[in-house]
Amino acid sequence: MAPATTPSTARDRLTEHTVTVGAPAAAVYDLIADVSAWPQVFGPTVHVEVLDEAPPGGGEQHLRIWAIANGQVRTWTSRRTLDPVARTVRFRQVVTAAPVASMGGEWRVEPAGDGTTRVVLLHDYRAVGDDPAAEELIEQAVDRNSRAELTALKHAAEQGPDRAELHFSFHDSLTIAGAAGDVYGFLDRADLWPERLPHVARLDLVEEENGVQRMDMDTRSPDGSLHNTTSIRVCFEERHSIVYKQLKVPAALSSHTGRWTVEPQDDGTVRATSWHTVTLDPEGVRTALGPDATLAEARALVRKALGTNSSTTLRHAKNYAEDHA
């Protein structure tokens, strides 16, 4: 992977990062184009929402993105223009996050003659007030994230057909005869989980702006062992929804994202659902479960472990909300 930085004008700075991927260009482009999968593919990306798209499933997208830059969660909105024929994706931030004054760039996916694919990631940016110190911070974040994204893209694309077996989603739901706000409040106040949930041994929660929470949690397994995870959560109180991404995952996983939703029903109840999307790490599966463990066995164990904890949380949220009804 090779970075290069050259200023184009006195105001704008340009960066270029490249990587060669051992996969067909079409498969690589599809991973870049499918922005809904970015939190699973790209480590810095926490959550992405498509605000509008024209035509549906087509070339122009308005996005809101939450991502980690220089250790902090930043959020911004961007416009993307997708060209599947040329295999390019152009992007431009519409609403930036300080210290960025402007940011844009382009993904280029170029087939190579030997069956590999060359991916070029371009950025142009400018700091607020053209501050040199801020420009240095932006350059560090762009360089770090670009390297991480291209490495992750290469890894995901080179999994080929195996990725379908490694990547899966599932959910658990409960109907609750209580108020949506009470259910959401139980899920939002994760700092109280150690005293409310039997499987949570310890939880440190830091609240940041824009509904962002950082969690460091120890959970108990049925055998009594403790497992530590760290997560970023983005909370949407107005829609009673919480999305999250685990930054530190168990050994058998390469990524884990999730979502809590609380939806009013026509009969006056609410439907609370825990959603999980998981990507297994084949090497981690063998390390955690033994050299003869199969991916099917790993999928079943992960489904049971995550589903059991989520269902326990939903049952306690149900009891809490119904006690307050």
Side-chain angles (χ1 to χ4, degrees):
M1 193 182 308
T5 304
T6 55
S8 61
T9 69
R11 295 175 61 83
D12 289 30
R13 304 183 76 175
L14 301 178
T15 67
E16 176 180 316
H17 293 77
T18 66
V19 70
T20 299
V21 182
V28 177
Y29 176 82
D30 287 346
L31 286 171
I32 297 170
D34 183 11
V35 73
S36 66
W38 277 22
Q40 284 291 313
V41 175
F42 298 133
T45 306
V46 175
H47 180 58
V48 180
E49 293 189 348
V50 179
L51 303 178
D52 61 70
E53 192 170 24
E60 299 287 340
Q61 292 179 324
H62 184 199
L63 310 174
R64 186 173 183 189
I65 300 171
W66 288 258
I68 300 170
N70 288 333
Q72 293 185 305
V73 179
R74 303 290 189 182
T75 182
W76 63 87
T77 62
S78 291
R79 292 280 182 186
R80 294 207 312 170
T81 302
L82 292 83
D83 186 339
V85 177
R87 295 194 180 97
T88 62
V89 178
R90 295 194 303 276
F91 56 90
R92 176 67 51 187
Q93 291 188 10
V94 179
V95 178
T96 60
V100 176
S102 67
M103 174 79 73
E106 185 174 9
W107 293 86
R108 297 175 182 172
V109 180
E110 303 168 349
D114 57 359
T116 63
T117 299
R118 182 174 184 262
V119 180
V120 180
L121 177 55
L122 304 172
H123 284 89
D124 62 81
Y125 62 87
R126 180 164 46 86
V128 174
D130 297 323
D131 179 14
E135 287 183 345
E136 181 66 23
L137 286 175
I138 298 170
E139 181 176 341
Q140 291 174 2
V142 168
D143 182 61
R144 184 181 298 110
N145 283 11
S146 295
R147 289 173 179 271
E149 289 173 353
L150 289 175
T151 298
L153 177 67
K154 175 181 173 69
H155 175 73
E158 291 180 352
Q159 289 173 338
D162 292 340
R163 180 168 171 77
E165 190 175 2
L166 297 171
H167 186 77
F168 63 103
S169 299
F170 59 91
H171 68 276
D172 299 286
S173 297
L174 269 184
T175 298
I176 301 174
D182 288 336
V183 179
Y184 173 83
F186 185 95
L187 300 172
D188 175 64
R189 288 299 306 272
D191 57 312
L192 300 178
W193 284 4
E195 60 193 71
R196 289 176 166 179
L197 298 174
H199 63 280
V200 178
R202 181 195 62 84
L203 194 150
D204 291 332
L205 182 73
V206 177
E207 294 266 5
E208 300 182 1
E209 60 183 7
N210 299 318
V212 174
Q213 298 177 342
R214 291 178 179 265
M215 285 175 41
D216 187 299
M217 180 170 61
D218 291 334
T219 56
R220 296 187 184 90
S221 295
D223 63 5
S225 61
L226 292 179
H227 297 274
N228 176 258
T229 57
T230 59
S231 304
I232 297 292
R233 305 205 311 174
V234 183
C235 304
F236 303 98
E237 183 176 6
E238 69 283 358
R239 59 177 109 154
H240 297 143
S241 175
I242 299 171
V243 299
Y244 62 89
K245 177 172 184 172
Q246 284 192 352
L247 306 182
K248 180 180 179 182
V249 296
L253 309 183
S254 65
S255 62
H256 173 210
T257 61
R259 185 167 83 255
W260 299 95
T261 58
V262 183
E263 302 169 302
Q265 305 297 297
D266 292 340
D267 61 1
T269 63
V270 296
R271 188 75 166 169
T273 304
S274 169
W275 307 80
H276 296 274
T277 299
V278 171
T279 304
L280 298 175
D281 175 9
E283 184 176 344
V285 167
R286 291 189 290 270
T287 300
L289 306 180
D292 298 325
T294 67
L295 292 180
E297 292 170 338
R299 287 167 64 101
L301 287 172
V302 169
R303 171 67 176 93
K304 181 179 180 181
L306 295 179
T308 297
N309 286 349
S310 293
S311 295
T312 299
T313 302
L314 289 174
R315 286 197 302 271
H316 282 77
K318 174 183 173 73
N319 293 337
Y320 175 85
E322 291 181 350
D323 285 345
H324 284 72

